[in-house]
Structure formats: C-alpha cells, structure tokens
PDB file of all heavy atoms in Angstrom:
ATOM      1  N   VAL A   1     -17.426  61.486 188.177  1.00  0.00           N
ATOM      2  CA  VAL A   1     -18.080  60.688 187.131  1.00  0.00           C
ATOM      3  C   VAL A   1     -18.853  59.540 187.780  1.00  0.00           C
ATOM      4  O   VAL A   1     -20.001  59.262 187.410  1.00  0.00           O
ATOM      5  CB  VAL A   1     -17.045  60.153 186.108  1.00  0.00           C
ATOM      6  CG1 VAL A   1     -17.697  59.184 185.132  1.00  0.00           C
ATOM      7  CG2 VAL A   1     -16.390  61.306 185.355  1.00  0.00           C
ATOM      8  N   ASN A   2     -18.258  58.893 188.758  1.00  0.00           N
ATOM      9  CA  ASN A   2     -18.874  57.770 189.460  1.00  0.00           C
ATOM     10  C   ASN A   2     -20.187  58.185 190.117  1.00  0.00           C
ATOM     11  O   ASN A   2     -21.175  57.446 190.079  1.00  0.00           O
ATOM     12  CB  ASN A   2     -17.897  57.226 190.500  1.00  0.00           C
ATOM     13  CG  ASN A   2     -18.411  56.010 191.228  1.00  0.00           C
ATOM     14  OD1 ASN A   2     -19.239  55.261 190.724  1.00  0.00           O
ATOM     15  ND2 ASN A   2     -17.902  55.789 192.418  1.00  0.00           N
ATOM     16  N   GLN A   3     -20.232  59.373 190.706  1.00  0.00           N
ATOM     17  CA  GLN A   3     -21.449  59.853 191.374  1.00  0.00           C
ATOM     18  C   GLN A   3     -22.584  60.107 190.383  1.00  0.00           C
ATOM     19  O   GLN A   3     -23.753  60.027 190.730  1.00  0.00           O
ATOM     20  CB  GLN A   3     -21.151  61.143 192.148  1.00  0.00           C
ATOM     21  CG  GLN A   3     -20.302  60.920 193.356  1.00  0.00           C
ATOM     22  CD  GLN A   3     -19.898  62.235 194.021  1.00  0.00           C
ATOM     23  OE1 GLN A   3     -20.252  63.320 193.567  1.00  0.00           O
ATOM     24  NE2 GLN A   3     -19.148  62.121 195.093  1.00  0.00           N
ATOM     25  N   ARG A   4     -22.249  60.404 189.137  1.00  0.00           N
ATOM     26  CA  ARG A   4     -23.269  60.749 188.156  1.00  0.00           C
ATOM     27  C   ARG A   4     -23.672  59.587 187.252  1.00  0.00           C
ATOM     28  O   ARG A   4     -24.729  59.621 186.648  1.00  0.00           O
ATOM     29  CB  ARG A   4     -22.781  61.929 187.314  1.00  0.00           C
ATOM     30  CG  ARG A   4     -22.788  63.225 188.103  1.00  0.00           C
ATOM     31  CD  ARG A   4     -21.928  64.297 187.480  1.00  0.00           C
ATOM     32  NE  ARG A   4     -21.953  65.539 188.217  1.00  0.00           N
ATOM     33  CZ  ARG A   4     -21.298  65.768 189.347  1.00  0.00           C
ATOM     34  NH1 ARG A   4     -20.582  64.818 189.903  1.00  0.00           N
ATOM     35  NH2 ARG A   4     -21.358  66.933 189.943  1.00  0.00           N
ATOM     36  N   THR A   5     -22.814  58.557 187.146  1.00  0.00           N
ATOM     37  CA  THR A   5     -23.127  57.476 186.219  1.00  0.00           C
ATOM     38  C   THR A   5     -23.168  56.105 186.859  1.00  0.00           C
ATOM     39  O   THR A   5     -23.866  55.237 186.378  1.00  0.00           O
ATOM     40  CB  THR A   5     -22.079  57.394 185.078  1.00  0.00           C
ATOM     41  OG1 THR A   5     -20.815  57.062 185.649  1.00  0.00           O
ATOM     42  CG2 THR A   5     -21.991  58.697 184.317  1.00  0.00           C
ATOM     43  N   GLY A   6     -22.395  55.859 187.885  1.00  0.00           N
ATOM     44  CA  GLY A   6     -22.249  54.531 188.463  1.00  0.00           C
ATOM     45  C   GLY A   6     -20.835  54.031 188.238  1.00  0.00           C
ATOM     46  O   GLY A   6     -20.130  54.486 187.329  1.00  0.00           O
ATOM     47  N   ALA A   7     -20.433  53.106 189.062  1.00  0.00           N
ATOM     48  CA  ALA A   7     -19.043  52.658 189.090  1.00  0.00           C
ATOM     49  C   ALA A   7     -18.585  52.020 187.777  1.00  0.00           C
ATOM     50  O   ALA A   7     -17.504  52.325 187.280  1.00  0.00           O
ATOM     51  CB  ALA A   7     -18.828  51.695 190.247  1.00  0.00           C
ATOM     52  N   TRP A   8     -19.392  51.123 187.222  1.00  0.00           N
ATOM     53  CA  TRP A   8     -18.945  50.429 186.012  1.00  0.00           C
ATOM     54  C   TRP A   8     -18.966  51.334 184.786  1.00  0.00           C
ATOM     55  O   TRP A   8     -18.081  51.255 183.935  1.00  0.00           O
ATOM     56  CB  TRP A   8     -19.756  49.155 185.782  1.00  0.00           C
ATOM     57  CG  TRP A   8     -19.347  48.110 186.778  1.00  0.00           C
ATOM     58  CD1 TRP A   8     -20.065  47.683 187.854  1.00  0.00           C
ATOM     59  CD2 TRP A   8     -18.097  47.411 186.817  1.00  0.00           C
ATOM     60  NE1 TRP A   8     -19.337  46.759 188.557  1.00  0.00           N
ATOM     61  CE2 TRP A   8     -18.127  46.563 187.950  1.00  0.00           C
ATOM     62  CE3 TRP A   8     -16.956  47.412 186.022  1.00  0.00           C
ATOM     63  CZ2 TRP A   8     -17.071  45.736 188.299  1.00  0.00           C
ATOM     64  CZ3 TRP A   8     -15.910  46.579 186.371  1.00  0.00           C
ATOM     65  CH2 TRP A   8     -15.969  45.764 187.490  1.00  0.00           C
ATOM     66  N   SER A   9     -19.932  52.215 184.713  1.00  0.00           N
ATOM     67  CA  SER A   9     -19.949  53.180 183.609  1.00  0.00           C
ATOM     68  C   SER A   9     -18.756  54.119 183.711  1.00  0.00           C
ATOM     69  O   SER A   9     -18.111  54.444 182.709  1.00  0.00           O
ATOM     70  CB  SER A   9     -21.237  54.007 183.626  1.00  0.00           C
ATOM     71  OG  SER A   9     -22.351  53.183 183.419  1.00  0.00           O
ATOM     72  N   ALA A  10     -18.472  54.564 184.915  1.00  0.00           N
ATOM     73  CA  ALA A  10     -17.327  55.456 185.130  1.00  0.00           C
ATOM     74  C   ALA A  10     -16.022  54.754 184.777  1.00  0.00           C
ATOM     75  O   ALA A  10     -15.153  55.335 184.119  1.00  0.00           O
ATOM     76  CB  ALA A  10     -17.294  55.937 186.574  1.00  0.00           C
ATOM     77  N   THR A  11     -15.881  53.500 185.190  1.00  0.00           N
ATOM     78  CA  THR A  11     -14.669  52.740 184.875  1.00  0.00           C
ATOM     79  C   THR A  11     -14.514  52.584 183.377  1.00  0.00           C
ATOM     80  O   THR A  11     -13.417  52.762 182.824  1.00  0.00           O
ATOM     81  CB  THR A  11     -14.713  51.352 185.561  1.00  0.00           C
ATOM     82  OG1 THR A  11     -14.823  51.545 186.976  1.00  0.00           O
ATOM     83  CG2 THR A  11     -13.470  50.544 185.258  1.00  0.00           C
ATOM     84  N   THR A  12     -15.604  52.279 182.696  1.00  0.00           N
ATOM     85  CA  THR A  12     -15.565  52.137 181.240  1.00  0.00           C
ATOM     86  C   THR A  12     -15.162  53.445 180.579  1.00  0.00           C
ATOM     87  O   THR A  12     -14.298  53.466 179.693  1.00  0.00           O
ATOM     88  CB  THR A  12     -16.946  51.678 180.718  1.00  0.00           C
ATOM     89  OG1 THR A  12     -17.294  50.443 181.342  1.00  0.00           O
ATOM     90  CG2 THR A  12     -16.937  51.512 179.211  1.00  0.00           C
ATOM     91  N   LEU A  13     -15.760  54.532 181.025  1.00  0.00           N
ATOM     92  CA  LEU A  13     -15.445  55.843 180.455  1.00  0.00           C
ATOM     93  C   LEU A  13     -13.989  56.221 180.709  1.00  0.00           C
ATOM     94  O   LEU A  13     -13.264  56.613 179.786  1.00  0.00           O
ATOM     95  CB  LEU A  13     -16.376  56.904 181.053  1.00  0.00           C
ATOM     96  CG  LEU A  13     -16.153  58.332 180.573  1.00  0.00           C
ATOM     97  CD1 LEU A  13     -16.484  58.448 179.085  1.00  0.00           C
ATOM     98  CD2 LEU A  13     -17.003  59.295 181.373  1.00  0.00           C
ATOM     99  N   VAL A  14     -13.537  56.069 181.941  1.00  0.00           N
ATOM    100  CA  VAL A  14     -12.173  56.453 182.314  1.00  0.00           C
ATOM    101  C   VAL A  14     -11.143  55.626 181.547  1.00  0.00           C
ATOM    102  O   VAL A  14     -10.217  56.172 180.930  1.00  0.00           O
ATOM    103  CB  VAL A  14     -11.969  56.284 183.840  1.00  0.00           C
ATOM    104  CG1 VAL A  14     -10.509  56.328 184.228  1.00  0.00           C
ATOM    105  CG2 VAL A  14     -12.760  57.337 184.596  1.00  0.00           C
ATOM    106  N   LEU A  15     -11.296  54.318 181.569  1.00  0.00           N
ATOM    107  CA  LEU A  15     -10.307  53.463 180.908  1.00  0.00           C
ATOM    108  C   LEU A  15     -10.443  53.523 179.389  1.00  0.00           C
ATOM    109  O   LEU A  15      -9.442  53.422 178.672  1.00  0.00           O
ATOM    110  CB  LEU A  15     -10.410  52.027 181.421  1.00  0.00           C
ATOM    111  CG  LEU A  15     -10.033  51.866 182.897  1.00  0.00           C
ATOM    112  CD1 LEU A  15     -10.250  50.429 183.351  1.00  0.00           C
ATOM    113  CD2 LEU A  15      -8.618  52.306 183.166  1.00  0.00           C
ATOM    114  N   GLY A  16     -11.656  53.707 178.883  1.00  0.00           N
ATOM    115  CA  GLY A  16     -11.845  53.844 177.437  1.00  0.00           C
ATOM    116  C   GLY A  16     -11.183  55.104 176.905  1.00  0.00           C
ATOM    117  O   GLY A  16     -10.478  55.072 175.888  1.00  0.00           O
ATOM    118  N   MET A  17     -11.371  56.210 177.606  1.00  0.00           N
ATOM    119  CA  MET A  17     -10.727  57.457 177.188  1.00  0.00           C
ATOM    120  C   MET A  17      -9.211  57.351 177.325  1.00  0.00           C
ATOM    121  O   MET A  17      -8.464  57.874 176.494  1.00  0.00           O
ATOM    122  CB  MET A  17     -11.262  58.633 177.994  1.00  0.00           C
ATOM    123  CG  MET A  17     -12.689  58.987 177.635  1.00  0.00           C
ATOM    124  SD  MET A  17     -13.356  60.365 178.577  1.00  0.00           S
ATOM    125  CE  MET A  17     -12.334  61.694 177.990  1.00  0.00           C
ATOM    126  N   GLY A  18      -8.764  56.666 178.379  1.00  0.00           N
ATOM    127  CA  GLY A  18      -7.327  56.453 178.556  1.00  0.00           C
ATOM    128  C   GLY A  18      -6.743  55.627 177.426  1.00  0.00           C
ATOM    129  O   GLY A  18      -5.645  55.907 176.935  1.00  0.00           O
ATOM    130  N   PHE A  19      -7.489  54.610 176.989  1.00  0.00           N
ATOM    131  CA  PHE A  19      -7.033  53.791 175.873  1.00  0.00           C
ATOM    132  C   PHE A  19      -6.909  54.625 174.602  1.00  0.00           C
ATOM    133  O   PHE A  19      -5.890  54.576 173.911  1.00  0.00           O
ATOM    134  CB  PHE A  19      -7.979  52.614 175.629  1.00  0.00           C
ATOM    135  CG  PHE A  19      -7.709  51.913 174.326  1.00  0.00           C
ATOM    136  CD1 PHE A  19      -6.625  51.061 174.205  1.00  0.00           C
ATOM    137  CD2 PHE A  19      -8.511  52.135 173.218  1.00  0.00           C
ATOM    138  CE1 PHE A  19      -6.347  50.432 172.993  1.00  0.00           C
ATOM    139  CE2 PHE A  19      -8.244  51.523 172.010  1.00  0.00           C
ATOM    140  CZ  PHE A  19      -7.160  50.659 171.892  1.00  0.00           C
ATOM    141  N   VAL A  20      -7.946  55.379 174.284  1.00  0.00           N
ATOM    142  CA  VAL A  20      -7.932  56.188 173.064  1.00  0.00           C
ATOM    143  C   VAL A  20      -6.772  57.182 173.101  1.00  0.00           C
ATOM    144  O   VAL A  20      -6.023  57.324 172.127  1.00  0.00           O
ATOM    145  CB  VAL A  20      -9.286  56.919 172.868  1.00  0.00           C
ATOM    146  CG1 VAL A  20      -9.195  57.953 171.761  1.00  0.00           C
ATOM    147  CG2 VAL A  20     -10.390  55.913 172.586  1.00  0.00           C
ATOM    148  N   ALA A  21      -6.587  57.848 174.241  1.00  0.00           N
ATOM    149  CA  ALA A  21      -5.513  58.839 174.360  1.00  0.00           C
ATOM    150  C   ALA A  21      -4.139  58.189 174.256  1.00  0.00           C
ATOM    151  O   ALA A  21      -3.274  58.650 173.493  1.00  0.00           O
ATOM    152  CB  ALA A  21      -5.645  59.594 175.677  1.00  0.00           C
ATOM    153  N   SER A  22      -3.917  57.106 175.005  1.00  0.00           N
ATOM    154  CA  SER A  22      -2.591  56.486 174.984  1.00  0.00           C
ATOM    155  C   SER A  22      -2.293  55.824 173.645  1.00  0.00           C
ATOM    156  O   SER A  22      -1.155  55.873 173.160  1.00  0.00           O
ATOM    157  CB  SER A  22      -2.434  55.478 176.132  1.00  0.00           C
ATOM    158  OG  SER A  22      -3.372  54.439 176.011  1.00  0.00           O
ATOM    159  N   PHE A  23      -3.300  55.239 173.019  1.00  0.00           N
ATOM    160  CA  PHE A  23      -3.094  54.614 171.711  1.00  0.00           C
ATOM    161  C   PHE A  23      -2.741  55.671 170.658  1.00  0.00           C
ATOM    162  O   PHE A  23      -1.806  55.496 169.880  1.00  0.00           O
ATOM    163  CB  PHE A  23      -4.351  53.839 171.297  1.00  0.00           C
ATOM    164  CG  PHE A  23      -4.188  53.045 170.036  1.00  0.00           C
ATOM    165  CD1 PHE A  23      -3.303  51.977 169.976  1.00  0.00           C
ATOM    166  CD2 PHE A  23      -4.918  53.360 168.899  1.00  0.00           C
ATOM    167  CE1 PHE A  23      -3.151  51.237 168.810  1.00  0.00           C
ATOM    168  CE2 PHE A  23      -4.770  52.632 167.731  1.00  0.00           C
ATOM    169  CZ  PHE A  23      -3.882  51.564 167.689  1.00  0.00           C
ATOM    170  N   THR A  24      -3.451  56.781 170.692  1.00  0.00           N
ATOM    171  CA  THR A  24      -3.182  57.865 169.733  1.00  0.00           C
ATOM    172  C   THR A  24      -1.778  58.434 169.932  1.00  0.00           C
ATOM    173  O   THR A  24      -1.011  58.596 168.974  1.00  0.00           O
ATOM    174  CB  THR A  24      -4.237  58.987 169.879  1.00  0.00           C
ATOM    175  OG1 THR A  24      -5.533  58.419 169.663  1.00  0.00           O
ATOM    176  CG2 THR A  24      -3.989  60.109 168.899  1.00  0.00           C
ATOM    177  N   ILE A  25      -1.426  58.721 171.174  1.00  0.00           N
ATOM    178  CA  ILE A  25      -0.100  59.272 171.462  1.00  0.00           C
ATOM    179  C   ILE A  25       0.990  58.265 171.114  1.00  0.00           C
ATOM    180  O   ILE A  25       2.030  58.623 170.559  1.00  0.00           O
ATOM    181  CB  ILE A  25      -0.006  59.726 172.931  1.00  0.00           C
ATOM    182  CG1 ILE A  25      -0.948  60.916 173.155  1.00  0.00           C
ATOM    183  CG2 ILE A  25       1.428  60.089 173.313  1.00  0.00           C
ATOM    184  CD1 ILE A  25      -1.170  61.270 174.610  1.00  0.00           C
ATOM    185  N   SER A  26       0.751  56.990 171.400  1.00  0.00           N
ATOM    186  CA  SER A  26       1.723  55.953 171.056  1.00  0.00           C
ATOM    187  C   SER A  26       1.958  55.889 169.555  1.00  0.00           C
ATOM    188  O   SER A  26       3.098  55.766 169.095  1.00  0.00           O
ATOM    189  CB  SER A  26       1.246  54.591 171.569  1.00  0.00           C
ATOM    190  OG  SER A  26       2.160  53.582 171.221  1.00  0.00           O
ATOM    191  N   LEU A  27       0.889  55.970 168.772  1.00  0.00           N
ATOM    192  CA  LEU A  27       1.036  55.955 167.316  1.00  0.00           C
ATOM    193  C   LEU A  27       1.833  57.165 166.828  1.00  0.00           C
ATOM    194  O   LEU A  27       2.668  57.054 165.924  1.00  0.00           O
ATOM    195  CB  LEU A  27      -0.321  55.913 166.628  1.00  0.00           C
ATOM    196  CG  LEU A  27      -1.069  54.583 166.706  1.00  0.00           C
ATOM    197  CD1 LEU A  27      -2.465  54.728 166.112  1.00  0.00           C
ATOM    198  CD2 LEU A  27      -0.297  53.475 166.015  1.00  0.00           C
ATOM    199  N   ILE A  28       1.599  58.314 167.437  1.00  0.00           N
ATOM    200  CA  ILE A  28       2.314  59.530 167.042  1.00  0.00           C
ATOM    201  C   ILE A  28       3.788  59.444 167.434  1.00  0.00           C
ATOM    202  O   ILE A  28       4.673  59.756 166.639  1.00  0.00           O
ATOM    203  CB  ILE A  28       1.651  60.774 167.676  1.00  0.00           C
ATOM    204  CG1 ILE A  28       0.258  60.997 167.064  1.00  0.00           C
ATOM    205  CG2 ILE A  28       2.528  62.017 167.507  1.00  0.00           C
ATOM    206  CD1 ILE A  28      -0.592  62.001 167.819  1.00  0.00           C
ATOM    207  N   VAL A  29       4.054  59.004 168.650  1.00  0.00           N
ATOM    208  CA  VAL A  29       5.427  59.005 169.172  1.00  0.00           C
ATOM    209  C   VAL A  29       6.228  57.789 168.715  1.00  0.00           C
ATOM    210  O   VAL A  29       7.386  57.918 168.313  1.00  0.00           O
ATOM    211  CB  VAL A  29       5.415  59.086 170.717  1.00  0.00           C
ATOM    212  CG1 VAL A  29       6.803  58.934 171.299  1.00  0.00           C
ATOM    213  CG2 VAL A  29       4.781  60.392 171.168  1.00  0.00           C
ATOM    214  N   GLU A  30       5.626  56.596 168.769  1.00  0.00           N
ATOM    215  CA  GLU A  30       6.364  55.370 168.493  1.00  0.00           C
ATOM    216  C   GLU A  30       6.059  54.759 167.136  1.00  0.00           C
ATOM    217  O   GLU A  30       6.765  53.846 166.705  1.00  0.00           O
ATOM    218  CB  GLU A  30       6.080  54.347 169.597  1.00  0.00           C
ATOM    219  CG  GLU A  30       6.553  54.817 170.967  1.00  0.00           C
ATOM    220  CD  GLU A  30       6.219  53.839 172.074  1.00  0.00           C
ATOM    221  OE1 GLU A  30       5.502  52.844 171.818  1.00  0.00           O
ATOM    222  OE2 GLU A  30       6.664  54.080 173.199  1.00  0.00           O
ATOM    223  N   GLY A  31       5.004  55.199 166.507  1.00  0.00           N
ATOM    224  CA  GLY A  31       4.660  54.671 165.191  1.00  0.00           C
ATOM    225  C   GLY A  31       4.392  53.177 165.226  1.00  0.00           C
ATOM    226  O   GLY A  31       3.687  52.678 166.098  1.00  0.00           O
ATOM    227  N   ARG A  32       5.006  52.458 164.284  1.00  0.00           N
ATOM    228  CA  ARG A  32       4.774  51.009 164.173  1.00  0.00           C
ATOM    229  C   ARG A  32       5.280  50.225 165.385  1.00  0.00           C
ATOM    230  O   ARG A  32       4.835  49.111 165.631  1.00  0.00           O
ATOM    231  CB  ARG A  32       5.445  50.473 162.919  1.00  0.00           C
ATOM    232  CG  ARG A  32       4.750  50.902 161.671  1.00  0.00           C
ATOM    233  CD  ARG A  32       5.409  50.283 160.483  1.00  0.00           C
ATOM    234  NE  ARG A  32       4.403  50.148 159.440  1.00  0.00           N
ATOM    235  CZ  ARG A  32       4.587  49.497 158.349  1.00  0.00           C
ATOM    236  NH1 ARG A  32       5.741  48.893 158.119  1.00  0.00           N
ATOM    237  NH2 ARG A  32       3.626  49.433 157.454  1.00  0.00           N
ATOM    238  N   ALA A  33       6.211  50.795 166.124  1.00  0.00           N
ATOM    239  CA  ALA A  33       6.722  50.110 167.317  1.00  0.00           C
ATOM    240  C   ALA A  33       5.619  49.882 168.346  1.00  0.00           C
ATOM    241  O   ALA A  33       5.764  49.043 169.242  1.00  0.00           O
ATOM    242  CB  ALA A  33       7.867  50.912 167.938  1.00  0.00           C
ATOM    243  N   THR A  34       4.519  50.597 168.217  1.00  0.00           N
ATOM    244  CA  THR A  34       3.368  50.389 169.099  1.00  0.00           C
ATOM    245  C   THR A  34       2.915  48.935 169.067  1.00  0.00           C
ATOM    246  O   THR A  34       2.457  48.393 170.076  1.00  0.00           O
ATOM    247  CB  THR A  34       2.197  51.303 168.660  1.00  0.00           C
ATOM    248  OG1 THR A  34       2.608  52.657 168.800  1.00  0.00           O
ATOM    249  CG2 THR A  34       0.954  51.061 169.479  1.00  0.00           C
ATOM    250  N   PHE A  35       3.066  48.294 167.921  1.00  0.00           N
ATOM    251  CA  PHE A  35       2.571  46.934 167.749  1.00  0.00           C
ATOM    252  C   PHE A  35       3.645  45.862 167.959  1.00  0.00           C
ATOM    253  O   PHE A  35       3.368  44.677 167.772  1.00  0.00           O
ATOM    254  CB  PHE A  35       1.945  46.786 166.357  1.00  0.00           C
ATOM    255  CG  PHE A  35       0.869  47.802 166.113  1.00  0.00           C
ATOM    256  CD1 PHE A  35       1.099  48.921 165.334  1.00  0.00           C
ATOM    257  CD2 PHE A  35      -0.382  47.660 166.707  1.00  0.00           C
ATOM    258  CE1 PHE A  35       0.111  49.871 165.127  1.00  0.00           C
ATOM    259  CE2 PHE A  35      -1.376  48.609 166.507  1.00  0.00           C
ATOM    260  CZ  PHE A  35      -1.134  49.712 165.721  1.00  0.00           C
ATOM    261  N   ALA A  36       4.846  46.249 168.357  1.00  0.00           N
ATOM    262  CA  ALA A  36       5.942  45.291 168.594  1.00  0.00           C
ATOM    263  C   ALA A  36       5.830  44.774 170.020  1.00  0.00           C
ATOM    264  O   ALA A  36       6.387  45.349 170.950  1.00  0.00           O
ATOM    265  CB  ALA A  36       7.290  45.962 168.353  1.00  0.00           C
ATOM    266  N   LEU A  37       5.104  43.694 170.180  1.00  0.00           N
ATOM    267  CA  LEU A  37       4.810  43.182 171.516  1.00  0.00           C
ATOM    268  C   LEU A  37       5.421  41.801 171.781  1.00  0.00           C
ATOM    269  O   LEU A  37       5.006  41.111 172.713  1.00  0.00           O
ATOM    270  CB  LEU A  37       3.292  43.115 171.714  1.00  0.00           C
ATOM    271  CG  LEU A  37       2.550  44.442 171.539  1.00  0.00           C
ATOM    272  CD1 LEU A  37       1.047  44.222 171.633  1.00  0.00           C
ATOM    273  CD2 LEU A  37       3.007  45.469 172.549  1.00  0.00           C
ATOM    274  N   GLN A  38       6.370  41.396 170.957  1.00  0.00           N
ATOM    275  CA  GLN A  38       6.962  40.081 171.148  1.00  0.00           C
ATOM    276  C   GLN A  38       7.876  40.071 172.376  1.00  0.00           C
ATOM    277  O   GLN A  38       8.221  41.097 172.914  1.00  0.00           O
ATOM    278  CB  GLN A  38       7.717  39.614 169.885  1.00  0.00           C
ATOM    279  CG  GLN A  38       8.736  40.575 169.335  1.00  0.00           C
ATOM    280  CD  GLN A  38       8.155  41.632 168.423  1.00  0.00           C
ATOM    281  OE1 GLN A  38       7.169  42.246 168.763  1.00  0.00           O
ATOM    282  NE2 GLN A  38       8.761  41.868 167.298  1.00  0.00           N
ATOM    283  N   ASN A  39       8.232  38.878 172.787  1.00  0.00           N
ATOM    284  CA  ASN A  39       9.121  38.661 173.939  1.00  0.00           C
ATOM    285  C   ASN A  39       8.550  39.214 175.248  1.00  0.00           C
ATOM    286  O   ASN A  39       9.283  39.668 176.104  1.00  0.00           O
ATOM    287  CB  ASN A  39      10.514  39.263 173.686  1.00  0.00           C
ATOM    288  CG  ASN A  39      11.173  38.660 172.472  1.00  0.00           C
ATOM    289  OD1 ASN A  39      11.018  37.470 172.198  1.00  0.00           O
ATOM    290  ND2 ASN A  39      11.886  39.467 171.726  1.00  0.00           N
ATOM    291  N   MET A  40       7.240  39.179 175.377  1.00  0.00           N
ATOM    292  CA  MET A  40       6.610  39.637 176.602  1.00  0.00           C
ATOM    293  C   MET A  40       6.030  38.419 177.329  1.00  0.00           C
ATOM    294  O   MET A  40       5.440  37.551 176.703  1.00  0.00           O
ATOM    295  CB  MET A  40       5.503  40.650 176.299  1.00  0.00           C
ATOM    296  CG  MET A  40       5.013  41.326 177.544  1.00  0.00           C
ATOM    297  SD  MET A  40       3.965  42.787 177.335  1.00  0.00           S
ATOM    298  CE  MET A  40       3.089  42.536 175.857  1.00  0.00           C
ATOM    299  N   GLN A  41       6.228  38.393 178.649  1.00  0.00           N
ATOM    300  CA  GLN A  41       5.675  37.299 179.437  1.00  0.00           C
ATOM    301  C   GLN A  41       4.148  37.306 179.314  1.00  0.00           C
ATOM    302  O   GLN A  41       3.535  38.385 179.366  1.00  0.00           O
ATOM    303  CB  GLN A  41       6.074  37.447 180.908  1.00  0.00           C
ATOM    304  CG  GLN A  41       7.554  37.343 181.155  1.00  0.00           C
ATOM    305  CD  GLN A  41       8.079  35.935 180.897  1.00  0.00           C
ATOM    306  OE1 GLN A  41       7.325  34.958 180.907  1.00  0.00           O
ATOM    307  NE2 GLN A  41       9.369  35.825 180.646  1.00  0.00           N
ATOM    308  N   PRO A  42       3.506  36.154 179.180  1.00  0.00           N
ATOM    309  CA  PRO A  42       2.051  36.101 178.972  1.00  0.00           C
ATOM    310  C   PRO A  42       1.238  36.789 180.076  1.00  0.00           C
ATOM    311  O   PRO A  42       0.229  37.422 179.795  1.00  0.00           O
ATOM    312  CB  PRO A  42       1.737  34.604 178.940  1.00  0.00           C
ATOM    313  CG  PRO A  42       3.019  33.942 178.597  1.00  0.00           C
ATOM    314  CD  PRO A  42       4.115  34.826 179.117  1.00  0.00           C
ATOM    315  N   TRP A  43       1.684  36.700 181.323  1.00  0.00           N
ATOM    316  CA  TRP A  43       0.887  37.281 182.399  1.00  0.00           C
ATOM    317  C   TRP A  43       0.908  38.807 182.389  1.00  0.00           C
ATOM    318  O   TRP A  43       0.070  39.441 183.005  1.00  0.00           O
ATOM    319  CB  TRP A  43       1.287  36.747 183.773  1.00  0.00           C
ATOM    320  CG  TRP A  43       2.714  36.981 184.153  1.00  0.00           C
ATOM    321  CD1 TRP A  43       3.245  38.131 184.657  1.00  0.00           C
ATOM    322  CD2 TRP A  43       3.778  36.055 184.061  1.00  0.00           C
ATOM    323  NE1 TRP A  43       4.582  37.974 184.877  1.00  0.00           N
ATOM    324  CE2 TRP A  43       4.941  36.702 184.532  1.00  0.00           C
ATOM    325  CE3 TRP A  43       3.884  34.735 183.639  1.00  0.00           C
ATOM    326  CZ2 TRP A  43       6.175  36.076 184.580  1.00  0.00           C
ATOM    327  CZ3 TRP A  43       5.117  34.125 183.697  1.00  0.00           C
ATOM    328  CH2 TRP A  43       6.240  34.783 184.160  1.00  0.00           C
ATOM    329  N   TYR A  44       1.834  39.416 181.688  1.00  0.00           N
ATOM    330  CA  TYR A  44       1.848  40.875 181.604  1.00  0.00           C
ATOM    331  C   TYR A  44       0.665  41.398 180.786  1.00  0.00           C
ATOM    332  O   TYR A  44       0.313  42.567 180.885  1.00  0.00           O
ATOM    333  CB  TYR A  44       3.153  41.384 181.005  1.00  0.00           C
ATOM    334  CG  TYR A  44       4.359  41.138 181.888  1.00  0.00           C
ATOM    335  CD1 TYR A  44       5.627  41.058 181.355  1.00  0.00           C
ATOM    336  CD2 TYR A  44       4.240  41.004 183.268  1.00  0.00           C
ATOM    337  CE1 TYR A  44       6.735  40.844 182.145  1.00  0.00           C
ATOM    338  CE2 TYR A  44       5.341  40.777 184.071  1.00  0.00           C
ATOM    339  CZ  TYR A  44       6.586  40.708 183.507  1.00  0.00           C
ATOM    340  OH  TYR A  44       7.678  40.496 184.297  1.00  0.00           O
TER     341      TYR A  44
END
C-alpha cells in the first residue's frame, strides 16, 4: 500500500480500516462494555 499511495495515506488506510474492524467486532462481542473506559490512566 505504501508503494502505491505514500506513507501517510497508507498509515491512514491501515489504521482507519483497523479502527472500523476492531470497533465493529468490539460492539458485536462486548456490546455496551466497549464504551466502559473509566479507571484508565490518562497516558494510556
């Protein structure tokens, strides 16, 4: 992908698709728990 589009476009595509996939799977598997983000250290 990097050879055909450039590094930043490839990074956007790779991480964007990863976000969509992981968010969708998280909603299916964990449901509302996907949004339970309390008690997390800020730097995480």
Side-chain angles (χ1 to χ4, degrees):
V1 173
N2 183 26
Q3 289 174 0
R4 288 162 179 77
T5 64
W8 287 107
S9 297
T11 301
T12 302
L13 179 66
V14 166
L15 294 176
M17 289 180 66
F19 168 76
V20 169
S22 61
F23 186 65
T24 302
I25 294 168
S26 179
L27 287 174
I28 292 168
V29 174
E30 297 177 353
R32 289 183 152 189
T34 297
F35 305 102
L37 302 175
Q38 53 276 48
N39 301 324
M40 191 167 31
Q41 296 292 339
W43 59 81
Y44 293 156

